[in-house]
């Protein structure tokens, strides 16, 4: 196949993926709007909505800033200290929070930070009377940093690791001090990623629902998502739910745009692709500082997991292991996670490539720029369309075709794939940009294309980010409670659904056992996701 | 006989057994019941109910389970006239007015006068099948002096916390809102402003609240008078108890109705009658953890005798709730959001 034909096919496939995503969302919204009979609760944007919007923005902005401030030193410490024992396990731990259902995370955090939690027990034991209270803005921020700091740190670390190896030799030759390395080498690499990372975290926090309500201490802490849920459930007012979703998208979209303007994309450095060891970060002081940050991150992220594991071990695990319902949920969850991750990674990779090809042409026309822009925008904003809206819309669309329960697995898989897009995009896009800058011209001049290019040029360096994206997407899908509630399919019991169901019928111990199981599955996934990673990043790091 | 012939024989038998229901159901009628998920979960009443009813009706019972009662109504509204439901089981009294407004339900034509439902609920479209009173459940190990009235709850020591549910997203949350409104009337906002200091947090649903409570985060939680029965029967502990309130308790009554488009209206009506029979009522207490509305075959387990039996029951008509819900939730939001 000639290069030009291949480019055309890639663009077509990218356009197809993008069209699929837009259509999937648009159809659901149209169906829901067409259906809405009842519900005229006046203007959608009353004082309540503004109050809720203000709080949404406040907590999401603070959560984002804190997550990033914490993530920068952690990512840097991980990048500099490449050979301490357990480094790879710390990396794996940092991918775990993604796979936790919000309720499980909230209970884990409470076992550490709550009134009867681990921390307060210590504080009371040493004679402090007024323990820390997690309930309120503090708890919300804590939970959001717990979820997002590790994500940000992993994405930043990947960015630092893409810095051409030659830089480190130069740095060592010049004897640059650590502060200068950060300023001239590491920070530019991180800064280029910040709009993407900050945008992602902001969206996750803005749409947070269970965590905000449970830890918020009262209805003063409510997000727009709560209002959307309320509009679609208790009030059954689809136009209002959609208007609120639009508001959520507009607010976040504006913020993402600002972020994008503020931070230009990074320049790609030339490299021979040879891995180089870093020589910095070996002085006693930097090791101490890095060590402290890493221990802090380990304790902060690890303790709630230890609490979840501890509760899980109290459950009757042998009985759960024999429970047919658990087997069934396990099979359903993993199948859906696998499929949705595959779709998400495949579609995103194709879209990114199409974006690269169209925008690199000498005279990228308005159409090409629009195409590339729509891809970035839709991979960002799709998180803001509440799954309840998508679920209800698709329920309406599929109803004429027979028993909706039969379609539930497909709808859930599609929604999960969609929700994973922003994560996958942020893992793959920078890696693919770097890769394209390094290999496109060479591959074209050598005439390597098609499968050969994929196998010998693309796969080796992209294996690591692809696996990481895949494990992120799978974990995300595993932890998702899903929009299946409406479909009433008895065969569609996922693990989080089973967990909630047991919790809802007083079986707290069973729920704790299932939470442990979910955590373990995610751990296995992250082991796969870090398969391209060496514990010590030495030697050949293709 | 070799292992293969045995395996083959077993496969053949399985195939025949698997084929049987198909042959049979062609002649039989199917009753489709929409309900909430916990009704048909492993420990829920669903399977036993279906088995008992199928013996008498010569029909197949087919359940469709959605998340909860509110979701049930949403699903009906989304499906409109094309709903496949013959029976909708699991709405509560607060949803009745809205459910009837959809026009999907047909009169049941049964005499429900003999049913023992506190608060005296009766309706021409919906038949009650169980009920429970909302109650504050407390941990006897950490709370020695539980409140004896709603007033004591509101005015008591703010350092003794309670976890409640959000009326915007959950039925128990709405229940407490109506309870406070029933007792305090126009003073409800002031009561909430006072109670606010005692509220540790407001969760989106019952599961989160009860989870926090059993983790020991707060000594009190809003749940049902029947919650201690679960702990006594299934866990053999009397640690968690309901606090009887002198003003009385607000009730949640669960109801079922026949849809207008039911394909099997006769079977569906038979099911509603079956629902109040001792057969069905005996299944409810230890599977749905709610109180039966009619006589059971055997006496209830001892634990149910130890439960709080409210002297007075509050129940607002569902029309009143539907008309005021938004205003009352706004009032609650304002009172609870003050600093």
């Amino acid at each position: 196949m000639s290069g030009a034909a291949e480019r055309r096919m890639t663009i077509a496939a990218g356009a197809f993926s993008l069209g699929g995503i837009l259509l999937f969302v648009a159809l659901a919204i149209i169906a829901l709007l067409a259906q809405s009979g009842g519900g005229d609760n006046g203007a959608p944007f009353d004082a309540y909505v503004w109050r809720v919007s203000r709080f949404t923005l406040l907590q999401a902005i603070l959560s984002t800033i804190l997550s990033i401030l914490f993530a920068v030193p952690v990512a840097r410490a991980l990048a500099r200290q490449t050979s301490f024992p357990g480094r790879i396990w710390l990396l794996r731990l940092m991918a775990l929070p993604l796979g936790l259902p919000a309720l499980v995370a909230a209970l884990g955090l409470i076992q550490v930070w709550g009134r009867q939690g681990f921390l307060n027990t210590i504080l009371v034991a040493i004679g402090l009377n007024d323990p820390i209270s997690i309930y309120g803005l503090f708890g919300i921020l804590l939970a959001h940093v717990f979820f997002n700091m590790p994500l940000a740190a992993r994405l930043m670390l990947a960015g630092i690791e893409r810095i051409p190896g030659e830089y480190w030799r130069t740095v060592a030759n010049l004897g640059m001090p650590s502060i200068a390395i950060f300023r001239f080498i590491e920070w530019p690499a991180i800064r280029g990623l910040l709009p993407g990372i900050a945008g992602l975290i902001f969206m996750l926090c803005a749409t947070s629902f269970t965590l905000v309500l449970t830890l918020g201490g009262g209805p003063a802490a409510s997000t727009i998502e709560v209002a959307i849920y309320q509009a679609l459930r208790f009030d059954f007012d689809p136009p209002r739910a959609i208007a609120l979703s639009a508001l959520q998208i507009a607010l976040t979209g504006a913020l993402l745009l600002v972020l994008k303007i503020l931070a230009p994309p990074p320049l790609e450095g030339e490299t021979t692709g040879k891995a180089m060891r870093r020589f910095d970060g070996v002085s006693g002081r930097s090791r101490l500082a890095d060590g402290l940050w890493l221990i802090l991150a380990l304790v902060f992220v690890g303790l709630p997991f230890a609490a979840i594991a501890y509760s899980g071990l109290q459950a009757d695990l042998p009985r759960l292991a024999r429970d047919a319902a658990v087997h069934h949920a396990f099979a359903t969850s993993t199948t859906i996670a696998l499929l949705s991750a595959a779709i998400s990674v495949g579609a995103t990779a194709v879209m990114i490539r199409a974006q690269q090809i169209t925008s690199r042409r000498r005279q990228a026309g308005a159409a090409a720029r629009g195409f590339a822009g729509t891809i970035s925008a839709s991979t960002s904003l799709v998180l803001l369309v509440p799954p309840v809206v998508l679920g209800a819309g698709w329920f309406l669309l599929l109803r004429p075709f027979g028993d909706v329960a039969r379609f539930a697995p497909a709808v859930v898989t599609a929604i999960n794939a969609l929700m994973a897009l922003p994560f996958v995009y942020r893992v793959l896009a920078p890696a693919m940009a770097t890769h394209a800058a390094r290999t496109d011209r060479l591959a074209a001049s050598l005439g390597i294309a098609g499968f050969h290019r994929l196998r010998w040029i693309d796969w080796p360096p992209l294996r690591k980010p692809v696996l990481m994206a895949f494990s992120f997407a799978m974990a995300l899908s595993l932890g998702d409670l899903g929009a299946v509630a409406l479909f009433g399919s008895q065969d569609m019991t996922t693990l989080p659904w089973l967990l909630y169901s047991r919790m809802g019928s007083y079986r707290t111990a069973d729920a704790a056992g299932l939470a442990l199981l979910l955590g373990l599955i995610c751990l296995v996934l992250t082991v796969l996701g870090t398969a391209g990673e060496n514990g010590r990043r030495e030697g050949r790091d293709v | 006989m070799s292992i293969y012939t045995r395996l083959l024989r077993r496969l053949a038998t399985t195939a025949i057994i698997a084929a049987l229901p198909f042959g049979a159901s062609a002649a039989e009628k199917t009753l489709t019941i929409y309900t909430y998920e916990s009704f048909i979960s492993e420990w829920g009443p669903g399977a036993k109910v279906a088995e008992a009813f199928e013996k008498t009706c010569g029909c197949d019972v087919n359940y469709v389970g959605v998340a909860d009662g509110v979701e049930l109504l949403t699903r009906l509204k989304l499906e409109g006239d094309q709903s496949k439901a013959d029976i909708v089981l699991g709405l509560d009294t607060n949803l009745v007015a809205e459910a009837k407004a959809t026009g999907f339900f047909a009169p049941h034509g049964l005499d429900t006068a003999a049913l023992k439902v506190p608060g005296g609920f009766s309706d021409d479209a919906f038949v009650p099948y169980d009920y429970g009173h909302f109650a504050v459940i407390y941990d006897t190990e950490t709370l020695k002096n539980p409140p004896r009235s709603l007033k004591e709850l509101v005015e008591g020591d703010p350092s003794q916390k309670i976890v409640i549910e959000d009326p915007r997203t959950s039925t128990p949350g709405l229940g407490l809102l109506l309870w406070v409104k029933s007792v305090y009337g126009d003073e409800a906002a002031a009561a909430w402003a006072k109670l606010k200091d005692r509220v540790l947090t407001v969760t989106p649903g019952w599961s989160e609240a009860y989870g926090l409570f059993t983790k020991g985060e707060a000594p009190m939680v809003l749940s049902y008078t029947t919650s201690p029965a679960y702990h006594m029967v299934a866990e053999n502990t009397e640690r968690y108890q309901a606090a009887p309130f002198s003003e009385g308790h607000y009730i949640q009554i669960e109801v079922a109705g026949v849809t207008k488009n039911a394909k099997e209206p006769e079977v569906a009506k038979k099911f509603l009658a079956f629902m109040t029979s001792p057969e069905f009522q005996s299944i409810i207490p230890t599977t749905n953890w709610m109180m039966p509305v009619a006589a059971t075959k055997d006496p209830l387990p001892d634990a149910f005798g130890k439960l709080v039996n409210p002297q007075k029951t509050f129940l607002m008509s569902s029309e009143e709730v539907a008309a005021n819900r938004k205003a009352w939730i706004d009032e609650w939001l304002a009172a609870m959001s003050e600093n």
Side-chain angles (χ1 to χ4, degrees), chain A residues 269-355:
Chain A
E270 296 289 333
T271 174
T272 58
K274 253 208 196 143
M276 270 335 125
R277 210 157 73 80
R278 281 183 75 154
F279 300 98
D280 62 323
V282 288
S283 74
R285 232 177 62 202
S286 28
R287 292 181 89 134
L288 184 68
D290 288 347
L292 285 177
W293 278 112
L294 293 178
I295 288 170
L296 191 63
L298 173 69
V299 170
F300 181 73
V301 182
L303 270 187
F305 277 100
I308 291 167
Y310 176 78
S311 304
L313 290 173
Q314 319 282 308
D316 188 353
L317 291 175
R319 183 176 53 72
L320 279 178
R322 286 192 307 270
D323 190 334
V326 175
H327 299 166
H328 188 84
F330 175 81
T332 311
S333 272
T334 43
T335 312
I336 289 180
L338 207 63
L339 282 176
S340 63
I343 295 171
S344 200
V345 171
T348 313
V350 168
M351 285 194 296
I352 296 172
R353 189 66 191 141
Q355 204 177 18

Side-chain angles (χ1 to χ4, degrees), chain B residues 320-332:
Chain B
E320 193 182 354
V321 175
N324 293 302
R325 186 166 56 87
K326 192 172 184 307
W328 289 343
I329 285 181
D330 286 345
E331 180 186 83
W332 176 84

Side-chain angles (χ1 to χ4, degrees), chain A residues 496-510:
Chain A
W497 179 258
L498 191 67
L499 191 153
Y500 263 80
S501 155
R502 301 256 156 137
M503 189 110 187
S505 46
Y506 295 102
R507 267 84 185 172
T508 325
D510 274 15

Side-chain angles (χ1 to χ4, degrees), chain B residues 7-76:
Chain B
L7 195 67
L8 272 178
R9 201 174 268 195
R10 185 182 281 175
L11 277 175
T13 337
T14 324
I16 291 166
I17 291 170
L20 268 179
F22 283 103
S25 65
E28 276 183 359
K29 299 161 182 169
T30 301
L31 183 71
T32 302
I33 302 179
Y34 280 19
T35 184
Y36 46 79
E37 190 269 340
S38 69
F39 193 86
I40 53 174
S41 76
E42 273 172 280
W43 305 281
K48 288 179 189 167
V49 165
E51 195 189 337
F53 186 62
E54 280 167 355
K55 270 185 211 153
T56 65
C57 71
C59 67
D60 279 338
V61 172
N62 172 35
Y63 288 115
V64 174
V66 299
D68 55 29
V70 183
E71 203 80 57
L72 208 50
L73 191 57
T74 307
R75 168 135 179 177
L76 283 180

Side-chain angles (χ1 to χ4, degrees), chain A residues 62 79 110 213 238 248 276 358 382 396 421 434 450 455 531:
Chain A
L62 286 178
I110 278 165
L213 279 186
Q248 185 162 286
M276 270 335 125
T358 48
V382 83
L396 286 170
L421 271 183
T434 306
R455 173 68 189 87

Side-chain angles (χ1 to χ4, degrees), chain A residues 442-506:
Chain A
L442 188 63
S445 70
L446 294 175
I448 307 175
F451 176 75
H452 283 284
R453 176 178 169 140
L454 214 59
R455 173 68 189 87
W456 299 109
I457 311 281
D458 297 337
W459 178 244
L462 289 179
R463 186 173 72 121
K464 209 164 110 177
V466 164
L467 286 176
M468 180 169 156
F470 203 87
S471 73
F472 273 19
M474 272 192 81
L476 206 67
S477 162
L478 274 176
D480 179 48
L481 187 56
V484 266
L486 212 56
F487 285 77
S489 165
Q490 288 162 62
D491 302 326
M492 249 305 290
T493 320
T494 59
L495 278 175
W497 179 258
L498 191 67
L499 191 153
Y500 263 80
S501 155
R502 301 256 156 137
M503 189 110 187
S505 46
Y506 295 102

Side-chain angles (χ1 to χ4, degrees), chain A residues 37-217:
Chain A
D40 50 334
N41 292 353
F45 302 146
D46 45 22
Y48 169 59
V49 171
W50 290 125
R51 207 166 58 233
V52 168
S53 305
R54 244 193 344 262
F55 186 78
T56 305
L57 288 177
L58 170 77
Q59 63 85 7
I61 290 173
L62 286 178
S63 301
T64 309
I65 293 173
L66 289 175
S67 301
I68 285 177
L69 285 182
F70 192 174
V72 170
V74 172
R76 185 171 185 239
L78 278 168
R80 287 208 297 191
Q81 308 302 330
T82 52
S83 57
F84 62 90
R87 179 178 185 270
I88 187 115
W89 286 101
L90 189 56
L91 286 181
R92 286 169 183 163
L93 175 68
M94 311 248 285
L96 279 190
L98 269 186
L100 278 189
L103 170 60
V104 175
L107 290 179
L109 285 166
I110 278 165
Q111 275 172 275
V112 177
W113 296 86
R115 293 176 87 215
Q116 305 299 322
F118 175 69
L119 229 91
N120 278 324
T121 316
I122 294 178
L123 290 181
V124 169
I126 60 170
L128 279 174
N129 265 334
D130 218 6
I132 321 170
S133 171
I134 188 178
Y135 304 96
L137 186 60
F138 172 69
I140 296 173
L141 297 181
L142 191 77
H144 285 163
V145 173
F146 168 75
F147 266 102
N148 297 309
M149 179 281 285
L151 176 69
R154 284 288 304 264
L155 291 173
M156 288 176 192
L157 176 65
I160 299 177
E161 288 181 346
R162 275 192 302 273
I163 294 173
E166 286 81 353
Y167 284 31
W168 300 123
R169 193 160 44 191
T170 314
V171 159
N173 286 340
L174 293 174
M176 271 166 98
S178 143
I179 187 104
I181 296 176
F182 181 71
R183 207 175 134 203
F184 296 115
I185 314 283
E186 291 164 327
W187 175 241
I190 295 174
R191 195 189 53 201
L193 297 172
L194 274 187
I197 297 175
L200 180 62
I201 296 178
F202 180 86
M203 285 188 290
L204 288 170
C205 298
T207 53
S208 174
F209 172 81
T210 305
L211 285 175
V212 168
L213 279 186
T214 306
L215 299 175

Side-chain angles (χ1 to χ4, degrees), chain B residues 1-242:
Chain B
M1 192 160 48
S2 83
I3 187 158
Y4 293 107
T5 29
R6 255 184 302 178
L7 195 67
L8 272 178
R9 201 174 268 195
R10 185 182 281 175
L11 277 175
T13 337
T14 324
I16 291 166
I17 291 170
L20 268 179
F22 283 103
S25 65
E28 276 183 359
K29 299 161 182 169
T30 301
L31 183 71
T32 302
I33 302 179
Y34 280 19
T35 184
Y36 46 79
E37 190 269 340
S38 69
F39 193 86
I40 53 174
S41 76
E42 273 172 280
W43 305 281
K48 288 179 189 167
V49 165
E51 195 189 337
F53 186 62
E54 280 167 355
K55 270 185 211 153
T56 65
C57 71
C59 67
D60 279 338
V61 172
N62 172 35
Y63 288 115
V64 174
V66 299
D68 55 29
V70 183
E71 203 80 57
L72 208 50
L73 191 57
T74 307
R75 168 135 179 177
L76 283 180
K77 286 178 178 169
L78 283 175
E79 287 189 333
D81 286 342
Q82 286 142 41
S83 176
K84 290 203 171 61
D86 295 305
I87 297 261
V88 176
L89 180 147
L91 300 173
D92 76 4
T93 37
N94 293 326
L95 297 170
V96 161
E98 263 185 79
K100 286 172 89 166
T102 61
F104 299 147
F105 290 92
H108 54 67
L110 295 173
D111 179 15
T112 57
L115 300 183
K116 293 173 292 184
V117 187
F121 171 84
S122 93
D123 188 89
D124 59 352
F126 291 101
V127 179
Y129 62 91
D130 67 17
Y131 71 87
H133 285 92
F134 292 112
V136 169
I137 304 295
Y138 68 99
D139 182 349
T140 53
E141 283 179 16
T142 51
L143 192 64
K144 298 300 172 199
N145 298 309
R148 283 161 300 175
S149 63
L150 195 60
K151 193 168 182 303
E152 280 191 22
L153 177 72
V154 168
E155 292 170 5
D157 178 5
S159 71
Q160 298 287 0
K161 299 286 184 189
I162 181 170
V163 182
I164 64 169
E165 295 86 351
D166 197 316
R168 290 173 295 173
T169 50
S170 90
T171 347
L174 185 60
L176 181 62
L177 184 83
L178 300 176
W179 192 0
V180 171
K181 198 76 201 172
S182 303
V183 172
Y184 282 90
D186 293 342
E187 307 293 310
W192 277 112
K194 191 137 185 56
L195 181 59
K196 177 178 171 277
D197 295 336
R198 258 194 126 160
V199 172
L200 181 69
T201 194
V202 183
T203 64
W206 179 89
S207 297
E208 291 87 0
Y210 216 76
L212 286 183
F213 170 67
T214 48
K215 283 253 183 283
E217 278 295 286
M220 294 181 282
V221 65
L222 178 79
S223 185
Y224 298 91
T225 49
T226 43
S227 299
Y230 173 79
H231 296 291
M232 287 190 268
V233 174
E235 293 174 348
N236 219 358
T237 170
E238 304 204 351
R239 178 173 171 184
Y240 303 113
Q241 292 299 330

